[in-house]
Amino acid sequence: MCGIIGIVGQVPVAPLLVDALKRLEYRGYDSAGIATIEGGELARRRAEGKLVNLEHRLDEEPLAGTIGIGHTRWATHGVPNETNAHPHFSNGVAIVHNGIIENFAELRQELVEDGYAFTSQTDTEVVAHLVSRELKRGARPVDAAHRALKRLEGAFALAIMFQGDDDLIIGARNGPPLAIGHGKGEMYLGSDAIALAPFTNSVTYLEDGDWAVVRRNHVEIFDMKGEPVERPRQQSVGSSFLVDKGNYHHFMEKEIHEQPEVISHTLAHYLDFTEGRARALDLPFDFAKLDRLAMSACGTAYLAGSIGKYWFERYARLPVDIDIASEFRYREMPLSGKSAALFISQSGETADTLASLRYCRDQNVPIGAVVNVRGSTIAREADVTFPILAGPEVGVASTKAFTCQLSALASLAVMAGVARGHIASEAESILIRQLAEAPRFANQVLRLSDQIEKVARELSRVRHVLYLGRDTSYPLAMEGALKLKEISYIHAEGYAAGELKHGPIALIDETMPVIVIAPHDRIFDKTMSNMQEVAARGGRIILITDEAGAARTSLTTMDTIVLPDVPEFIAPIVYALPIQLLAYFTAVAMGTDVDQPRNLAKSVTVE
Ligand code: G6P
């Protein structure tokens, strides 16, 4: 993770670096720092914690200079303090790094034996010393950087600056993304196009193994052998404005409330509501000929895929394997010539999801990707991109991206069902009409915020919570638990309701709230039996259901959240909202940092 930025500019760059780091803060926020060349000397300011601390530091001690690099950190090696914050220096070399240098221990040992003293616990500092050692051995800056890069193993995006040359930044990529921004008499480097958007929308994405010599008026890109390579210049679609919270207290709250709108944009991208038909897409595979769909993703995106599995199998009779990407990438899954792969990622940059995609590419399997960030690595490497039109998601806990991922997957499942002959024309228009209703139902759920806030105040007093659900409500139960632990730090588990008696029932006593997600569907009565088992052991039940479900239950619950009656197909999209609101209000009641919870980052570009 971590976000990096570099500017070879015409005007003082410190405020521009900080502004760009604000756009990159989603990548990590343990510490931040910038370095410039001020009066011919490298100078830096760093601060532990959020970017605002660095801004205070710069208010007290401003930095001049028209060239600079910056970094916002998600700690991997070394605690998040000022000493471990980037940029790291070594005798006239300044460096910022995103990723992990896997052979750093050997390199560190070698450098220590060579007399280099380390001031931080980071893996990054070895790169600064390696470059500076090459300079000492007589190499010019560009060659010194190239020689050092060849020694590195692992994943990295780097920006390197040299005292004595205020018209040079070296950028390098192997794994995490790095884009070059082309300005007029100014050049930029950044972890993504959004960071560069206020400066330029003309960008070149480096590919793995590329490194670039970036000067004010010229950029050259090389491969690891040192051969020049051509990479296309593209117009980025990064939005140049920094999204704000509007009248909401947190980005997460705003993003929860945006859902009716963005779900509807996403659905409209795939579905023609007037005709009641799924739109025809140009696909690199034919759904009718597939015998299996391999899906893979991380975090919330994985749980969206887990719900998608139910839809593809039920409505399109297409078997789906869904894997956590960090498992998929190493488990050597056999893929037949009749398989296709589908990856789901809000950021389009998650390292494990990208590695899984590349595994499938090596197996010659056609690849689709459901992504939010256009221009991201996963979007670029897939054969077909299925965009979700969620807009920028700032809150680290994913909300609107989740329901938009569900909307895209539900649409694709309908498309697949039609192509495979399992959804007839009439059924297609019924399913599409049901999906068209999802934004309206989502809006109705948002009106229950006051009631959900009251329930959340109760939740904020407990230490453990269990979420139960069956069918598509099972992955949703896991998503509810994930949301709660991410932002409130309350321990939560999501379980298949039928699995309760195989273990978690032992946890239940009068202190343990059990949140049951149970729309009144075909298997409602089965879930009710599991609720009885909880009630019989003194567990406190919070039931999320609809009117029919509430009428049917005879149990006394701690609370019942009654949602509108919705068709079974779209229930996961609508039921996602109360679980998001529950987590949100619980975290607010506990006073945690809702948008930037501890230890997390929005985009995870390390393994
Ligand atoms: C991180 C984020 C999660 C997200 C996951 C996958 O853990 O905090 O919210 O679901 O990464 O990210 P992606 O961008 O691939 O959807």
Side-chain angles (χ1 to χ4, degrees):
M1 278 96 86
C2 308
I4 66 176
I5 178 77
I7 304 177
V8 197
Q10 304 272 6
V11 296
V13 289
L16 305 179
L17 292 169
V18 171
D19 185 53
L21 289 179
K22 284 184 188 161
R23 292 163 209 285
L24 290 172
E25 220 181 356
Y26 72 89
R27 304 179 72 88
Y29 37 77
D30 290 339
S31 63
I34 62 168
T36 63
I37 301 182
E38 188 181 49
E41 301 278 327
L42 284 181
R44 70 181 165 192
R45 304 286 180 268
R46 301 179 294 173
E48 185 180 330
K50 303 276 165 69
L51 198 49
V52 65
N53 299 347
L54 177 66
E55 286 184 287
H56 292 322
R57 186 93 171 72
L58 283 161
D59 286 344
E60 288 158 15
E61 282 187 274
L63 263 190
T66 57
I67 179 171
I69 55 178
H71 189 265
T72 176
R73 181 166 187 245
W74 185 84
T76 57
H77 295 56
V79 295
N81 59 18
E82 186 173 331
T83 318
N84 286 329
H86 302 214
H88 289 285
F89 282 3
S90 174
N91 302 321
V93 175
I95 195 154
V96 288
H97 167 218
N98 166 27
I100 294 175
I101 307 297
E102 286 172 359
N103 57 339
F104 94 100
E106 295 130 68
L107 293 172
R108 190 175 167 122
Q109 178 69 25
E110 176 187 316
L111 287 156
V112 167
E113 283 165 13
D114 223 4
Y116 285 83
F118 281 77
T119 57
S120 76
Q121 302 156 306
T122 65
D123 52 337
T124 306
E125 201 180 349
V126 297
V127 190
H129 288 322
L130 277 179
V131 177
S132 115
R133 185 169 66 173
E134 294 302 333
L135 287 176
K136 200 166 143 211
R137 288 172 174 170
R140 289 172 312 135
V142 171
D143 299 324
H146 182 209
R147 284 185 203 166
L149 289 172
K150 286 200 282 192
R151 300 287 319 274
L152 306 180
E153 286 167 23
F156 50 82
L158 292 160
I160 313 171
M161 190 171 68
F162 300 84
Q163 183 164 301
D165 190 344
D166 75 350
D167 189 24
L168 174 66
I169 295 179
I170 305 275
R173 173 190 181 177
N174 193 43
L178 192 61
I180 295 169
H182 304 266
K184 287 208 180 77
E186 298 185 322
M187 291 288 173
Y188 310 90
L189 267 174
S191 294
D192 69 21
I194 294 178
L196 305 180
F199 314 130
T200 178
N201 60 4
S202 171
V203 298
T204 301
Y205 293 100
L206 295 187
E207 293 185 6
D208 279 348
D210 286 356
W211 59 285
V213 177
V214 180
R215 302 186 191 275
R216 279 185 184 81
N217 291 305
H218 192 56
V219 173
E220 288 170 288
I221 305 175
F222 301 93
D223 62 16
M224 250 327 129
K225 286 193 222 107
E227 300 293 330
V229 287
E230 291 290 324
R231 303 290 176 225
R233 241 205 237 196
Q234 309 178 12
Q235 292 296 109
S236 84
V237 287
S239 155
S240 66
F241 62 92
L242 192 61
V243 216
D244 67 33
K245 292 200 273 267
N247 291 328
Y248 294 96
H249 298 95
H250 299 97
F251 279 108
M252 184 178 176
E253 185 188 20
K254 175 173 176 257
E255 287 158 4
I256 289 172
H257 283 261
E258 281 170 357
Q259 289 179 106
E261 193 182 339
V262 293
I263 291 170
S264 113
H265 291 168
T266 303
L267 290 170
H269 182 85
Y270 295 97
L271 308 173
D272 181 337
F273 294 127
T274 322
E275 297 291 322
R277 298 280 164 264
R279 296 185 196 282
L281 297 181
D282 192 10
L283 298 178
F285 50 81
D286 179 352
F287 272 124
K289 296 196 176 128
L290 295 184
D291 67 4
R292 178 148 72 162
L293 185 62
M295 284 206 256
S296 176
C298 299
T300 288
Y302 163 75
L303 295 169
S306 305
I307 291 173
K309 173 184 165 79
Y310 284 83
W311 285 331
F312 277 106
E313 294 188 340
R314 179 164 299 148
Y315 297 103
R317 312 302 301 156
L318 175 58
V320 171
D321 289 298
I322 170 88
D323 274 72
I324 291 169
S326 54
E327 289 299 314
F328 182 90
R329 64 182 291 184
Y330 294 116
R331 85 176 171 95
E332 299 172 32
M333 178 190 185
L335 290 156
S336 78
K338 287 186 177 172
S339 304
L342 188 62
F343 299 93
I344 309 158
S345 176
Q346 186 285 128
S347 64
E349 300 293 352
T350 303
D352 287 319
T353 311
L354 179 59
S356 303
L357 182 155
R358 289 175 178 167
Y359 171 81
C360 290
R361 195 180 54 202
D362 292 345
Q363 307 283 310
N364 295 318
V365 168
I367 292 162
V370 176
V371 289
N372 193 29
V373 180
R374 293 184 191 201
S376 58
T377 311
I378 289 174
R380 282 183 283 120
E381 293 199 12
D383 299 316
V384 60
T385 302
F386 302 113
I388 61 167
L389 284 78
E393 189 179 64
V394 178
V396 164
S398 188
T399 51
K400 62 176 180 170
F402 177 66
T403 46
C404 286
Q405 285 159 350
L406 291 180
S407 304
L409 290 168
S411 305
L412 291 173
V414 173
M415 227 171 267
V418 172
R420 295 168 69 80
H422 293 291
I423 298 179
S425 174
E426 200 184 327
E428 180 184 12
S429 55
I430 291 172
L431 291 173
I432 288 176
R433 231 178 303 141
Q434 293 181 348
L435 281 168
E437 293 284 299
R440 180 171 69 84
F441 288 126
N443 226 344
Q444 289 179 22
V445 175
L446 291 175
R447 291 195 211 118
L448 302 175
S449 293
D450 289 349
Q451 187 205 347
I452 296 174
E453 185 174 7
K454 279 195 202 116
V455 180
R457 263 183 247 139
E458 296 285 316
L459 270 194
S460 69
R461 296 193 191 107
V462 306
R463 286 314 304 148
H464 307 278
V465 180
L466 196 59
Y467 286 71
L468 297 178
R470 280 175 183 261
D471 202 83
T472 53
S473 297
Y474 161 43
L476 204 54
M478 292 200 280
E479 171 61 6
L482 177 62
K483 281 289 83 81
L484 190 73
K485 59 189 153 199
E486 275 181 309
I487 60 171
S488 73
Y489 317 143
I490 293 173
H491 170 234
E493 302 272 357
Y495 252 90
E499 193 67 6
L500 176 75
K501 55 183 103 38
H502 299 290
I505 200 163
L507 298 171
I508 289 170
D509 62 17
E510 51 294 337
T511 66
M512 175 87 142
V514 180
I515 299 177
V516 182
I517 304 168
H520 189 257
D521 54 16
R522 290 170 297 125
I523 41 172
F524 178 81
D525 288 342
K526 308 281 174 200
T527 313
M528 277 311 103
S529 307
N530 305 130
M531 267 177 58
Q532 297 280 5
E533 292 155 12
V534 172
R537 286 153 184 90
R540 298 188 298 159
I541 295 162
I542 297 170
L543 174 63
I544 307 178
T545 185
D546 46 27
E547 277 171 28
R552 230 181 125 70
T553 171
S554 52
L555 288 173
T556 311
T557 60
M558 180 175 152
D559 274 293
T560 303
I561 299 169
V562 182
L563 306 191
D565 284 321
V566 301
E568 182 180 328
F569 180 36
I570 64 164
I573 302 176
V574 179
Y575 277 66
L577 275 73
I579 60 162
Q580 295 167 349
L581 287 166
L582 256 185
Y584 172 72
F585 287 123
T586 306
V588 170
M590 297 187 74
T592 58
D593 190 340
V594 172
D595 285 331
Q596 295 185 329
R598 71 185 180 203
N599 305 339
L600 298 179
K602 183 120 194 99
S603 177
V604 180
T605 54
V606 292
E607 279 195 53

